[in-house]
Amino acid sequence: MLLATACVKAGRVRAWRESLNPPAPDVPDAAFVVTRLVLVTMAVVLTVTGVRVLARRSLRPLRRACWRARGL
């Protein structure tokens, strides 16, 4: 969802914003670049975190079995 949001064209956002509030000041291109970088970074961090959490939970029964086999 974050990546899809980052892919929205600046012209489309400007048109939508103008339809809601015509006298609003224009948003500079740099703001769109920064927003895209933030959204892509958030998507990457959340994906890596999710994979790590799922991997850790799926390995938990294996670790317990190893500890029991060692007598710990």
Side-chain angles (χ1 to χ4, degrees), residues 14-37:
R14 285 187 175 118
W16 174 75
R17 204 168 164 262
E18 188 176 324
S19 71
L20 291 177
N21 190 6
D26 196 22
V27 179
D29 289 334
F32 289 103
V33 172
V34 170
T35 303
R36 284 186 181 122
L37 288 173

PDB file of all heavy atoms in Angstrom, residues 14-37:
ATOM      1  N   ARG A  14      -1.778  17.173  -7.275  1.00  0.00           N
ATOM      2  CA  ARG A  14      -2.032  18.608  -7.379  1.00  0.00           C
ATOM      3  C   ARG A  14      -3.460  18.884  -7.841  1.00  0.00           C
ATOM      4  O   ARG A  14      -4.132  19.788  -7.326  1.00  0.00           O
ATOM      5  CB  ARG A  14      -1.034  19.244  -8.336  1.00  0.00           C
ATOM      6  CG  ARG A  14       0.331  19.387  -7.735  1.00  0.00           C
ATOM      7  CD  ARG A  14       1.252  20.177  -8.641  1.00  0.00           C
ATOM      8  NE  ARG A  14       2.524  20.385  -7.982  1.00  0.00           N
ATOM      9  CZ  ARG A  14       3.670  19.924  -8.428  1.00  0.00           C
ATOM     10  NH1 ARG A  14       3.726  19.240  -9.543  1.00  0.00           N
ATOM     11  NH2 ARG A  14       4.787  20.166  -7.765  1.00  0.00           N
ATOM     12  N   ALA A  15      -3.952  18.116  -8.803  1.00  0.00           N
ATOM     13  CA  ALA A  15      -5.324  18.301  -9.296  1.00  0.00           C
ATOM     14  C   ALA A  15      -6.342  17.990  -8.199  1.00  0.00           C
ATOM     15  O   ALA A  15      -7.326  18.725  -8.022  1.00  0.00           O
ATOM     16  CB  ALA A  15      -5.564  17.421 -10.510  1.00  0.00           C
ATOM     17  N   TRP A  16      -6.112  16.930  -7.455  1.00  0.00           N
ATOM     18  CA  TRP A  16      -7.014  16.549  -6.370  1.00  0.00           C
ATOM     19  C   TRP A  16      -7.016  17.621  -5.291  1.00  0.00           C
ATOM     20  O   TRP A  16      -8.057  18.024  -4.787  1.00  0.00           O
ATOM     21  CB  TRP A  16      -6.579  15.202  -5.800  1.00  0.00           C
ATOM     22  CG  TRP A  16      -7.342  14.780  -4.591  1.00  0.00           C
ATOM     23  CD1 TRP A  16      -8.621  14.292  -4.548  1.00  0.00           C
ATOM     24  CD2 TRP A  16      -6.890  14.811  -3.238  1.00  0.00           C
ATOM     25  NE1 TRP A  16      -8.981  14.016  -3.256  1.00  0.00           N
ATOM     26  CE2 TRP A  16      -7.931  14.322  -2.434  1.00  0.00           C
ATOM     27  CE3 TRP A  16      -5.703  15.193  -2.636  1.00  0.00           C
ATOM     28  CZ2 TRP A  16      -7.810  14.220  -1.059  1.00  0.00           C
ATOM     29  CZ3 TRP A  16      -5.587  15.088  -1.261  1.00  0.00           C
ATOM     30  CH2 TRP A  16      -6.637  14.611  -0.494  1.00  0.00           C
ATOM     31  N   ARG A  17      -5.824  18.119  -4.965  1.00  0.00           N
ATOM     32  CA  ARG A  17      -5.693  19.145  -3.943  1.00  0.00           C
ATOM     33  C   ARG A  17      -6.368  20.448  -4.374  1.00  0.00           C
ATOM     34  O   ARG A  17      -7.005  21.134  -3.576  1.00  0.00           O
ATOM     35  CB  ARG A  17      -4.206  19.378  -3.697  1.00  0.00           C
ATOM     36  CG  ARG A  17      -3.905  19.927  -2.364  1.00  0.00           C
ATOM     37  CD  ARG A  17      -2.418  19.847  -2.081  1.00  0.00           C
ATOM     38  NE  ARG A  17      -2.156  20.731  -0.976  1.00  0.00           N
ATOM     39  CZ  ARG A  17      -1.708  21.959  -1.092  1.00  0.00           C
ATOM     40  NH1 ARG A  17      -1.394  22.425  -2.269  1.00  0.00           N
ATOM     41  NH2 ARG A  17      -1.533  22.705  -0.041  1.00  0.00           N
ATOM     42  N   GLU A  18      -6.232  20.784  -5.638  1.00  0.00           N
ATOM     43  CA  GLU A  18      -6.854  22.006  -6.149  1.00  0.00           C
ATOM     44  C   GLU A  18      -8.373  21.889  -6.151  1.00  0.00           C
ATOM     45  O   GLU A  18      -9.084  22.868  -5.917  1.00  0.00           O
ATOM     46  CB  GLU A  18      -6.355  22.310  -7.555  1.00  0.00           C
ATOM     47  CG  GLU A  18      -6.805  23.655  -8.070  1.00  0.00           C
ATOM     48  CD  GLU A  18      -6.212  23.963  -9.431  1.00  0.00           C
ATOM     49  OE1 GLU A  18      -5.052  23.592  -9.669  1.00  0.00           O
ATOM     50  OE2 GLU A  18      -6.935  24.572 -10.241  1.00  0.00           O
ATOM     51  N   SER A  19      -8.889  20.681  -6.387  1.00  0.00           N
ATOM     52  CA  SER A  19     -10.344  20.506  -6.365  1.00  0.00           C
ATOM     53  C   SER A  19     -10.898  20.649  -4.951  1.00  0.00           C
ATOM     54  O   SER A  19     -12.027  21.087  -4.763  1.00  0.00           O
ATOM     55  CB  SER A  19     -10.722  19.151  -6.950  1.00  0.00           C
ATOM     56  OG  SER A  19     -10.352  18.107  -6.072  1.00  0.00           O
ATOM     57  N   LEU A  20     -10.104  20.295  -3.947  1.00  0.00           N
ATOM     58  CA  LEU A  20     -10.551  20.422  -2.559  1.00  0.00           C
ATOM     59  C   LEU A  20     -10.400  21.842  -2.033  1.00  0.00           C
ATOM     60  O   LEU A  20     -11.254  22.336  -1.301  1.00  0.00           O
ATOM     61  CB  LEU A  20      -9.752  19.473  -1.658  1.00  0.00           C
ATOM     62  CG  LEU A  20     -10.010  17.987  -1.835  1.00  0.00           C
ATOM     63  CD1 LEU A  20      -9.103  17.188  -0.923  1.00  0.00           C
ATOM     64  CD2 LEU A  20     -11.456  17.648  -1.562  1.00  0.00           C
ATOM     65  N   ASN A  21      -9.276  22.493  -2.382  1.00  0.00           N
ATOM     66  CA  ASN A  21      -8.981  23.811  -1.838  1.00  0.00           C
ATOM     67  C   ASN A  21      -8.270  24.651  -2.900  1.00  0.00           C
ATOM     68  O   ASN A  21      -7.046  24.735  -2.916  1.00  0.00           O
ATOM     69  CB  ASN A  21      -8.104  23.665  -0.587  1.00  0.00           C
ATOM     70  CG  ASN A  21      -7.958  24.952   0.164  1.00  0.00           C
ATOM     71  OD1 ASN A  21      -8.580  25.951  -0.158  1.00  0.00           O
ATOM     72  ND2 ASN A  21      -7.107  24.925   1.190  1.00  0.00           N
ATOM     73  N   PRO A  22      -9.011  25.286  -3.791  1.00  0.00           N
ATOM     74  CA  PRO A  22      -8.403  26.032  -4.901  1.00  0.00           C
ATOM     75  C   PRO A  22      -7.415  27.132  -4.498  1.00  0.00           C
ATOM     76  O   PRO A  22      -6.397  27.296  -5.151  1.00  0.00           O
ATOM     77  CB  PRO A  22      -9.599  26.616  -5.647  1.00  0.00           C
ATOM     78  CG  PRO A  22     -10.746  25.747  -5.278  1.00  0.00           C
ATOM     79  CD  PRO A  22     -10.464  25.265  -3.885  1.00  0.00           C
ATOM     80  N   PRO A  23      -7.645  27.899  -3.437  1.00  0.00           N
ATOM     81  CA  PRO A  23      -6.681  28.958  -3.128  1.00  0.00           C
ATOM     82  C   PRO A  23      -5.419  28.486  -2.402  1.00  0.00           C
ATOM     83  O   PRO A  23      -4.570  29.300  -2.047  1.00  0.00           O
ATOM     84  CB  PRO A  23      -7.486  29.919  -2.246  1.00  0.00           C
ATOM     85  CG  PRO A  23      -8.511  29.085  -1.597  1.00  0.00           C
ATOM     86  CD  PRO A  23      -8.841  28.013  -2.608  1.00  0.00           C
ATOM     87  N   ALA A  24      -5.279  27.207  -2.165  1.00  0.00           N
ATOM     88  CA  ALA A  24      -4.104  26.690  -1.444  1.00  0.00           C
ATOM     89  C   ALA A  24      -2.836  26.919  -2.268  1.00  0.00           C
ATOM     90  O   ALA A  24      -2.860  26.852  -3.491  1.00  0.00           O
ATOM     91  CB  ALA A  24      -4.276  25.210  -1.170  1.00  0.00           C
ATOM     92  N   PRO A  25      -1.722  27.180  -1.591  1.00  0.00           N
ATOM     93  CA  PRO A  25      -0.463  27.380  -2.319  1.00  0.00           C
ATOM     94  C   PRO A  25       0.008  26.069  -2.965  1.00  0.00           C
ATOM     95  O   PRO A  25      -0.306  24.978  -2.488  1.00  0.00           O
ATOM     96  CB  PRO A  25       0.510  27.844  -1.246  1.00  0.00           C
ATOM     97  CG  PRO A  25      -0.071  27.392   0.041  1.00  0.00           C
ATOM     98  CD  PRO A  25      -1.560  27.345  -0.158  1.00  0.00           C
ATOM     99  N   ASP A  26       0.761  26.195  -4.046  1.00  0.00           N
ATOM    100  CA  ASP A  26       1.245  25.025  -4.770  1.00  0.00           C
ATOM    101  C   ASP A  26       2.307  24.288  -3.955  1.00  0.00           C
ATOM    102  O   ASP A  26       3.090  24.902  -3.237  1.00  0.00           O
ATOM    103  CB  ASP A  26       1.831  25.470  -6.114  1.00  0.00           C
ATOM    104  CG  ASP A  26       2.001  24.302  -7.066  1.00  0.00           C
ATOM    105  OD1 ASP A  26       1.307  23.282  -6.871  1.00  0.00           O
ATOM    106  OD2 ASP A  26       2.822  24.414  -7.998  1.00  0.00           O
ATOM    107  N   VAL A  27       2.337  22.980  -4.078  1.00  0.00           N
ATOM    108  CA  VAL A  27       3.315  22.156  -3.384  1.00  0.00           C
ATOM    109  C   VAL A  27       4.540  21.994  -4.293  1.00  0.00           C
ATOM    110  O   VAL A  27       4.401  21.616  -5.458  1.00  0.00           O
ATOM    111  CB  VAL A  27       2.707  20.770  -3.049  1.00  0.00           C
ATOM    112  CG1 VAL A  27       3.717  19.890  -2.360  1.00  0.00           C
ATOM    113  CG2 VAL A  27       1.470  20.918  -2.200  1.00  0.00           C
ATOM    114  N   PRO A  28       5.739  22.249  -3.766  1.00  0.00           N
ATOM    115  CA  PRO A  28       6.931  22.117  -4.606  1.00  0.00           C
ATOM    116  C   PRO A  28       7.245  20.659  -4.936  1.00  0.00           C
ATOM    117  O   PRO A  28       6.828  19.740  -4.222  1.00  0.00           O
ATOM    118  CB  PRO A  28       8.044  22.737  -3.752  1.00  0.00           C
ATOM    119  CG  PRO A  28       7.535  22.694  -2.365  1.00  0.00           C
ATOM    120  CD  PRO A  28       6.046  22.744  -2.441  1.00  0.00           C
ATOM    121  N   ASP A  29       7.997  20.469  -6.027  1.00  0.00           N
ATOM    122  CA  ASP A  29       8.377  19.110  -6.438  1.00  0.00           C
ATOM    123  C   ASP A  29       9.217  18.404  -5.386  1.00  0.00           C
ATOM    124  O   ASP A  29       9.154  17.189  -5.235  1.00  0.00           O
ATOM    125  CB  ASP A  29       9.132  19.150  -7.762  1.00  0.00           C
ATOM    126  CG  ASP A  29       8.220  19.504  -8.925  1.00  0.00           C
ATOM    127  OD1 ASP A  29       7.010  19.233  -8.824  1.00  0.00           O
ATOM    128  OD2 ASP A  29       8.727  20.035  -9.925  1.00  0.00           O
ATOM    129  N   ALA A  30      10.025  19.153  -4.655  1.00  0.00           N
ATOM    130  CA  ALA A  30      10.878  18.553  -3.623  1.00  0.00           C
ATOM    131  C   ALA A  30      10.045  17.849  -2.550  1.00  0.00           C
ATOM    132  O   ALA A  30      10.460  16.821  -2.007  1.00  0.00           O
ATOM    133  CB  ALA A  30      11.757  19.616  -2.985  1.00  0.00           C
ATOM    134  N   ALA A  31       8.882  18.385  -2.259  1.00  0.00           N
ATOM    135  CA  ALA A  31       8.017  17.749  -1.260  1.00  0.00           C
ATOM    136  C   ALA A  31       7.566  16.367  -1.727  1.00  0.00           C
ATOM    137  O   ALA A  31       7.485  15.424  -0.929  1.00  0.00           O
ATOM    138  CB  ALA A  31       6.809  18.632  -0.985  1.00  0.00           C
ATOM    139  N   PHE A  32       7.297  16.224  -3.027  1.00  0.00           N
ATOM    140  CA  PHE A  32       6.898  14.920  -3.555  1.00  0.00           C
ATOM    141  C   PHE A  32       8.063  13.932  -3.523  1.00  0.00           C
ATOM    142  O   PHE A  32       7.881  12.752  -3.228  1.00  0.00           O
ATOM    143  CB  PHE A  32       6.355  15.070  -4.977  1.00  0.00           C
ATOM    144  CG  PHE A  32       5.014  15.736  -5.026  1.00  0.00           C
ATOM    145  CD1 PHE A  32       4.895  17.058  -5.411  1.00  0.00           C
ATOM    146  CD2 PHE A  32       3.865  15.052  -4.669  1.00  0.00           C
ATOM    147  CE1 PHE A  32       3.665  17.677  -5.450  1.00  0.00           C
ATOM    148  CE2 PHE A  32       2.627  15.655  -4.710  1.00  0.00           C
ATOM    149  CZ  PHE A  32       2.526  16.985  -5.097  1.00  0.00           C
ATOM    150  N   VAL A  33       9.266  14.419  -3.797  1.00  0.00           N
ATOM    151  CA  VAL A  33      10.447  13.542  -3.762  1.00  0.00           C
ATOM    152  C   VAL A  33      10.680  13.050  -2.343  1.00  0.00           C
ATOM    153  O   VAL A  33      10.897  11.853  -2.111  1.00  0.00           O
ATOM    154  CB  VAL A  33      11.685  14.290  -4.303  1.00  0.00           C
ATOM    155  CG1 VAL A  33      12.941  13.463  -4.095  1.00  0.00           C
ATOM    156  CG2 VAL A  33      11.503  14.634  -5.770  1.00  0.00           C
ATOM    157  N   VAL A  34      10.627  13.938  -1.376  1.00  0.00           N
ATOM    158  CA  VAL A  34      10.839  13.554   0.029  1.00  0.00           C
ATOM    159  C   VAL A  34       9.756  12.583   0.481  1.00  0.00           C
ATOM    160  O   VAL A  34      10.040  11.583   1.153  1.00  0.00           O
ATOM    161  CB  VAL A  34      10.872  14.810   0.928  1.00  0.00           C
ATOM    162  CG1 VAL A  34      10.852  14.435   2.392  1.00  0.00           C
ATOM    163  CG2 VAL A  34      12.092  15.655   0.609  1.00  0.00           C
ATOM    164  N   THR A  35       8.517  12.857   0.096  1.00  0.00           N
ATOM    165  CA  THR A  35       7.415  11.967   0.482  1.00  0.00           C
ATOM    166  C   THR A  35       7.599  10.576  -0.106  1.00  0.00           C
ATOM    167  O   THR A  35       7.391   9.566   0.581  1.00  0.00           O
ATOM    168  CB  THR A  35       6.071  12.561   0.015  1.00  0.00           C
ATOM    169  OG1 THR A  35       5.934  13.861   0.573  1.00  0.00           O
ATOM    170  CG2 THR A  35       4.919  11.695   0.440  1.00  0.00           C
ATOM    171  N   ARG A  36       8.018  10.504  -1.358  1.00  0.00           N
ATOM    172  CA  ARG A  36       8.249   9.198  -1.981  1.00  0.00           C
ATOM    173  C   ARG A  36       9.362   8.444  -1.271  1.00  0.00           C
ATOM    174  O   ARG A  36       9.255   7.235  -1.026  1.00  0.00           O
ATOM    175  CB  ARG A  36       8.582   9.367  -3.453  1.00  0.00           C
ATOM    176  CG  ARG A  36       7.370   9.675  -4.275  1.00  0.00           C
ATOM    177  CD  ARG A  36       7.686   9.691  -5.755  1.00  0.00           C
ATOM    178  NE  ARG A  36       6.475  10.020  -6.489  1.00  0.00           N
ATOM    179  CZ  ARG A  36       6.364  11.055  -7.297  1.00  0.00           C
ATOM    180  NH1 ARG A  36       7.389  11.839  -7.510  1.00  0.00           N
ATOM    181  NH2 ARG A  36       5.221  11.295  -7.909  1.00  0.00           N
ATOM    182  N   LEU A  37      10.446   9.144  -0.941  1.00  0.00           N
ATOM    183  CA  LEU A  37      11.551   8.490  -0.230  1.00  0.00           C
ATOM    184  C   LEU A  37      11.105   7.962   1.131  1.00  0.00           C
ATOM    185  O   LEU A  37      11.460   6.849   1.524  1.00  0.00           O
ATOM    186  CB  LEU A  37      12.719   9.461  -0.056  1.00  0.00           C
ATOM    187  CG  LEU A  37      13.518   9.793  -1.309  1.00  0.00           C
ATOM    188  CD1 LEU A  37      14.527  10.876  -1.022  1.00  0.00           C
ATOM    189  CD2 LEU A  37      14.205   8.543  -1.837  1.00  0.00           C
TER     190      LEU A  37
END
